[in-house]
Amino acid sequence: MLLSVPGAGCARHAVIEPPPSGRHIASRSLDLGAAVQAQPLLTDPAYARAVARYFTVVTTENALKFGPLRPSRERFDFTDADAIVDFAAAHGLGVRGHTLVWKRQLPSWLVEGRFTRDTLIAILRDHIHSVVGRYRGRIAAWDVVNEGLRDSLRAGADALRPTIWRRTIGPEYVELAFRFAHEADPDARLFYNEAGAEGRGARSDAVYVLLRDLLRRNVPVDGVGMQVHSGLHRPPDTAAIAWNMRRLAALGLEVQITEMDVGVTDAGGTAEERLDRQAEVYRGVLATCLAEPACTALATWGVSDRYTWRYPDTPLLLDREYRPKPAYRAIAELLGATAPAGP
Ligand code: G3I
């Protein structure tokens, strides 16, 4: 029997079975998500079952990135993205669109195009209107700009990464991207998504300042994505994350954990000990999200260890046979329910 997880998108069903004690599912509004790939979704029934059974929202891992979508300036290939969005609709799952503007996975025609500023702005507008417009009402949230910060920040220097967007259009590409996305779907929630900017430090300060300034200019930004790619050797500082969530929430922003995974191969101990420590890391981050009303989702970057981008590491909630690991049970327990035995 499937239960809807209250607040995790009303009609959506999660994997989570009723706890033996009959304890109520946490009434807090929170989505449990995973990044999905079209190919296994269409060809691996166990993968598809796990997506529908264990999660309430899916993120398009690669299907909605510029390069996979746009092999040429004239042609869009929505095949994979449609497959994911259609699957989500058929199973009552929410969808996060990842990502409209990024430094990576760009098509060669764009990278080598040597476009003028006005032409690249027109390309950006056309791209965002075409993609966000196509899924209007079907994709509830977008990572509009992903990882816009330099890898290393210097005090007083420009924090934005010198991508084609920044170099050709200027720093205002960020504002333009959000405005174009809002024009295309005024009801979609628009996120800025960043890596390594969850806790205290120059990166989270740079994200805070970037978003504060965008909001001051009435740019339609709704939330911040904290990726939380982590490992047992460097577990997230949940106190710092809580502090950062609070200041972002004070700006009126929603916060989501968008790409969480917890690597274990770099740690000592027995396999069982590493699984338990991994579970504690997930539990700690989820508890931090649950404690912050502005935090509305925890999404992992992948469905199971079989398809993680960090292969052969095993950083996710489900093992390579799609069985819930201690980490999944820790999350289910915190959400007030009990995960089923296996796929
Ligand atoms: O689809 C092609 C395939 O046709 C080709 O045969 C194959 C070999 O060249 O490559 C395939 O594309 C790969 C793509 O994943 C789909 O599998 C790309 O080479 C590969 O670079 C790409 O990696 C993705 C990576 O972003 C790109 O930087 C990962 O799957 C994806 O999980 C990862 O996700 C990022 C988020 O978008 C942003 N945050 C960090 C996160 C991890 O890097």
Side-chain angles (χ1 to χ4, degrees), residues 14-285:
V15 49
I16 298 172
E17 305 290 351
S21 63
R23 275 178 300 140
H24 290 293
I25 299 278
S27 58
R28 189 45 180 78
S29 163
L30 182 137
D31 267 313
L32 185 57
V36 302
Q37 301 173 15
Q39 190 269 337
L41 198 62
L42 296 170
T43 61
D44 179 348
Y47 181 98
R49 274 199 304 276
V51 172
R53 190 179 166 120
Y54 293 100
F55 302 100
T56 60
V57 65
V58 296
T59 303
T60 55
E61 184 168 348
N62 291 299
L64 280 171
K65 291 172 179 174
F66 211 114
L69 262 188
R70 203 105 177 255
S72 69
R73 186 173 175 182
E74 299 69 32
R75 191 166 76 86
F76 288 83
D77 181 356
F78 289 109
T79 309
D80 284 357
D82 284 353
I84 294 170
V85 173
D86 291 346
F87 181 91
H91 293 84
L93 306 175
V95 183
R96 291 189 92 260
H98 176 85
T99 179
L100 296 170
V101 183
W102 192 25
K103 66 181 176 188
R104 286 205 189 129
Q105 290 177 272
L106 296 174
S108 54
W109 66 265
L110 182 71
V111 175
E112 297 157 8
R114 303 179 66 77
F115 299 106
T116 66
R117 180 177 185 272
D118 287 348
T119 302
L120 194 59
I121 289 175
I123 290 171
L124 182 62
R125 178 190 289 109
D126 171 61
H127 184 77
I128 292 177
H129 276 217
S130 301
V131 177
V132 176
R134 180 186 183 87
Y135 297 108
R136 182 168 178 163
R138 303 188 73 198
I139 293 184
W142 283 94
D143 287 334
V144 175
V145 173
N146 184 53
E147 300 172 18
L149 297 185
R150 291 177 181 273
D151 287 338
S152 58
L153 300 175
R154 294 189 307 278
D158 178 9
L160 290 180
R161 184 189 303 275
T163 63
I164 181 175
W165 311 108
R166 170 72 183 82
R167 289 196 312 272
T168 306
I169 295 174
E172 53 274 22
Y173 87 87
V174 178
E175 173 174 343
L176 289 170
F178 277 95
R179 292 194 187 283
F180 295 156
H182 185 67
E183 288 165 1
D185 185 353
D187 297 325
R189 299 184 343 267
L190 306 180
F191 283 74
Y192 174 83
N193 192 46
E194 191 56 73
E198 297 89 17
R200 292 177 185 270
R203 295 186 68 77
S204 63
D205 290 346
V207 170
Y208 179 84
V209 168
L210 174 70
L211 294 172
R212 182 196 62 194
D213 293 351
L214 289 171
L215 291 170
R216 282 176 177 168
R217 297 201 304 277
N218 298 315
V219 176
V221 184
D222 299 296
V224 179
M226 299 181 171
Q227 293 187 8
V228 191
H229 291 293
S230 66
L232 294 185
H233 71 297
R234 50 178 175 78
D237 177 344
T238 51
I241 292 176
W243 168 84
N244 193 30
M245 283 184 175
R246 276 197 301 277
R247 67 172 176 172
L248 292 165
L251 291 177
L253 291 168
E254 185 179 343
V255 180
Q256 295 192 342
I257 306 298
T258 51
E259 305 186 12
M260 188 167 179
D261 45 27
V262 182
V264 299
T265 48
D266 50 18
T270 65
E272 189 176 355
E273 286 165 345
R274 284 184 287 175
L275 282 170
D276 289 343
R277 287 170 59 198
Q278 183 184 54
E280 284 317 301
V281 173
Y282 274 106
R283 186 199 303 272
V285 172

